[in-house]
Amino acid sequence: MVPVSAQQTTFNQLKTLTLEQLGNVEITTFSKEPEQVWKTPAAICVITQEDIRRSGATSLADALRLAPGVAVGRISSTTWAVGIRGLQNNFSKSVLVLIDGRSVYTPLFAGVYWDVQDVPLEDIDRIEVIRGPGGTVWGANSANGVINIITKSAAETHGPLVSALGGGVDRFNGTVQYGGGNGHGLDYRLFAKGFVRGAEFHRDADNFDDWHQERGGFRADWKPNERDAVMVQGDMYRGDSPHRIGTTDVNDVVAGGDVLARWRRDLGHGSDIYLETYFDRTIRIGSQLGETRNTIDVDFIHHFIVAGRHEIIWGGGLRWSPNRFVQKQPAIDLVPHLETDDIYSGFAQDEIHLAGDRVSLTFGAKLQHNNFSGFDILPTARVLWTAGDHQSFWAAVTRAVTTPSRIEEGFELTGQLSATPLILLRVAGDPHFKSEPTIGYEGGYRRLIRSNLYVDLSVFHNDYRDLQSFGAPVSSVETTPPPPHLVITIPYTNQISGATNGFEVAPSWTVAHWWKLAGSYSFVATDLHAVGATSDISSTGSVKTYEGSTPRHMVEIQSMFNLPKKFEFDQFYRYASVLPAQKVKPYHTVDLRLGWKPNPNWEFSVVGQNLLQPHHLEWGTGDPGQTPVGIRRTGYVKATWTK
């Protein structure tokens, strides 16, 4: 888990860089401009392609386990709960997730559908993870962090690639790809992939969560001259996503596609401009509800230097997202059925270099408006002290918000409490539901202690206000439909506040030229309180749920051996502490991988996953009243051919 270059370091180079060289290369997610990790005043980790390959992960969500402070709990075969520094939940509500800068956040449920984020893992260059609020640059819904999945340029993927694996739970997962170029600055790749995955462990033997998905896509990179760089990419997918709502098994039909275009121009003297736009269409239809959504997004950034010491970045963005709710049952509704969500913003940030570039001060703010709750201002102040060539201290304070979702503002779920007399219970959204603000205080230290030993330490305190909860029941009499009946309504409200405190330490150690170790320990303590007397009325939106759904302690260790005869032996250990709100006990588990690359064209591997027990729980179901799903011990074999 190390920082990697956005523009200068290729995948093949990355495998041979020392820890010292890796500390000098650049990342982009913090400011949307390349910056060396030593000069980044934020808690940032980068998961490289080599980390992913040797971990044996088969999905994006599982690959995120390699980052310190990122809690990943698999709920079932199709769903995950992902959180950064607390507030872990099954929609990753307070974490902004991007794929090459394209937001995959959905305003329907305020979060991420991890089941349809299926980039070919072989095409990922790196995953940059910022822990802590990222609102000034990235805006809404980055209250706890930003995850940016960055794919390789098409110039790095020339030739054919065929990859296939098969095993116990991952029954089949395969990719076919071809890349090429014209030798004059234009490069491309085309791919098709699909998978079939089996069910996890169910005590009731109701193996509802076996599923499949198919996807195809492309990427083209063009450098017409030394100043300009253009990238266009897109993909389409379809499949299913089975899950359980209450006691009902639901099999959603999912489909969609997106096209993204980006242009960057070097203006000289350290200045450049950046323009990105994308169109994203998503379709998700189940037996209880459905949604179709189109999203159009445009972002512009200008970066320039003033007086040799002021690095100024400013820009703006617009997102427009018309959507349609598909009602499948009278008891579940979302009003209005037709809606257009929008968010527009502008930001400016100044990084001031002092003391011979040993000290930098960063000040910035974003002003944004969304159709749910209006205007928000998201400021930040950061300081960085580079104490030596290979060590730095940093501190920051930042405000960020999680905006309301359609569910929180317009949802209606109605059920029958009594037939005689007729009494209905209704959970209802609040049209005046507010944004959930976060103020994050954090600091860190990173140092290359020796040429083969690197350590990164960060501490944080996050203050939260107006978190989602449920209000006091309200009684009313309705006459439609007849006969007249009593309705008890429980509204969504913003009645939970409090803080999280914690730290992360992440060392990397090259023990010998044939053995590398990387790992992390993360601690987070959550202390929340309910403002309203009825805020604990629901098991899915209470203080106990927030406090008991994120592990207080997490340990992760990745060990990689390069053996004779071109063999590799890799071990991945992880531990997560108890989740009382999700009825999940502490667990340890180990993944093992044996790989062999007999020549440059072929690679074979055997992977065993979750080996310490037949099955274990990692998270609940989102509803503590349901029985959690066990994650099975399993394994697979994989072969990859390239030329």
Side-chain angles (χ1 to χ4, degrees), residues 418-436:
S418 169
T420 307
L422 181 58
I423 302 176
L424 303 181
L425 177 65
R426 178 176 299 151
V427 177
D430 178 3
H432 304 291
F433 194 87
K434 296 180 288 187
S435 292
E436 302 172 340

Side-chain angles (χ1 to χ4, degrees), residues 609-624:
Q609 297 174 315
N610 306 311
L611 296 178
L612 296 188
Q613 54 273 316
H615 54 83
H616 68 277
L617 304 181
E618 293 189 357
W619 213 72
T621 62
D623 181 351

Side-chain angles (χ1 to χ4, degrees), residues 1 45 47 51-52 55 62-68 556 558 572:
M1 294 168 287
C45 165
I47 305 168
D51 293 328
I52 297 170
S55 74
D62 286 328
L64 294 176
R65 301 180 191 274
L66 295 166
E556 295 160 348
Q558 186 180 24
F572 182 33

Side-chain angles (χ1 to χ4, degrees), residues 189-468:
R189 69 167 170 262
L190 306 170
F191 77 87
K193 78 178 301 289
F195 66 82
V196 178
R197 199 172 198 281
E200 296 291 356
F201 174 77
H202 302 265
R203 289 190 179 92
D204 59 4
D206 181 11
N207 297 329
F208 64 84
D209 55 336
D210 57 328
W211 61 309
H212 70 91
Q213 198 174 112
E214 298 78 45
R215 182 179 300 260
F218 73 95
R219 172 166 172 160
D221 292 271
W222 180 40
K223 281 192 66 67
N225 53 58
E226 292 299 318
R227 299 176 61 192
D228 296 298
V230 178
M231 185 270 279
V232 180
Q233 68 175 29
D235 67 353
M236 298 180 66
Y237 66 89
R238 66 172 295 119
D240 66 349
S241 181
H243 55 282
R244 180 173 286 169
I245 299 178
T247 58
T248 303
D249 295 344
V250 178
N251 193 359
D252 290 352
V253 175
V254 297
D258 59 84
V259 178
L260 178 147
R262 178 189 302 151
W263 170 56
R264 187 185 294 272
R265 163 163 281 201
D266 185 352
L267 301 177
H269 307 289
S271 175
D272 57 58
I273 57 175
Y274 165 104
L275 180 66
E276 179 177 277
T277 183
Y278 64 80
F279 170 79
D280 191 337
R281 176 166 175 79
T282 60
I283 301 170
R284 181 176 290 263
I285 306 295
S287 60
Q288 294 194 336
L289 56 88
E291 186 199 42
T292 62
R293 178 178 293 271
N294 297 324
T295 300
I296 300 171
D297 185 279
V298 180
D299 287 287
F300 170 81
I301 294 175
H302 181 202
H303 166 243
F304 60 96
I305 298 175
V306 175
R309 65 173 57 185
H310 294 267
E311 283 201 56
I312 297 175
I313 303 174
W314 71 275
L318 170 65
R319 184 173 303 154
W320 184 67
S321 185
N323 56 91
R324 179 173 68 92
F325 175 77
V326 181
Q327 187 176 20
K328 305 301 287 280
Q329 296 184 9
I332 302 175
D333 201 3
L334 186 67
V335 292
H337 287 189
L338 296 176
E339 178 74 286
T340 298
D341 301 325
D342 63 76
I343 185 167
Y344 54 86
S345 63
F347 82 96
Q349 180 171 286
D350 184 7
E351 183 177 339
I352 308 166
H353 298 270
L354 304 170
D357 208 25
R358 291 288 187 182
V359 177
S360 69
L361 303 175
T362 302
F363 301 98
K366 178 185 283 283
L367 180 65
Q368 70 177 25
H369 180 276
N370 69 85
N371 60 292
F372 294 110
S373 57
F375 281 100
D376 286 296
I377 185 167
L378 311 175
T380 189
R382 297 176 181 266
V383 60
L384 173 77
W385 174 37
T386 306
D389 290 340
H390 302 115
Q391 66 173 322
S392 56
F393 298 83
W394 61 271
V397 56
T398 306
R399 184 180 190 271
V401 298
T402 300
T403 58
S405 67
R406 288 211 64 197
I407 288 291
E408 290 158 333
E409 291 218 339
F411 182 60
E412 290 186 359
L413 173 63
T414 305
Q416 184 174 291
L417 278 182
S418 169
T420 307
L422 181 58
I423 302 176
L424 303 181
L425 177 65
R426 178 176 299 151
V427 177
D430 178 3
H432 304 291
F433 194 87
K434 296 180 288 187
S435 292
E436 302 172 340
T438 304
I439 299 180
Y441 305 87
E442 51 184 335
Y445 172 69
R446 53 179 67 96
R447 183 180 179 184
L448 187 69
I449 299 173
R450 297 200 308 254
S451 62
N452 65 340
L453 181 59
Y454 171 86
V455 66
D456 191 311
L457 172 68
S458 57
V459 297
F460 65 90
H461 170 85
N462 287 344
D463 277 328
Y464 300 96
R465 288 192 300 107
D466 300 330
L467 296 181
Q468 182 259 314

Side-chain angles (χ1 to χ4, degrees), residues 107-119:
L108 175 62
F109 284 103
V112 176
Y113 287 117
W114 288 103
D115 55 346
V116 294
Q117 316 310 328
D118 187 35
V119 177

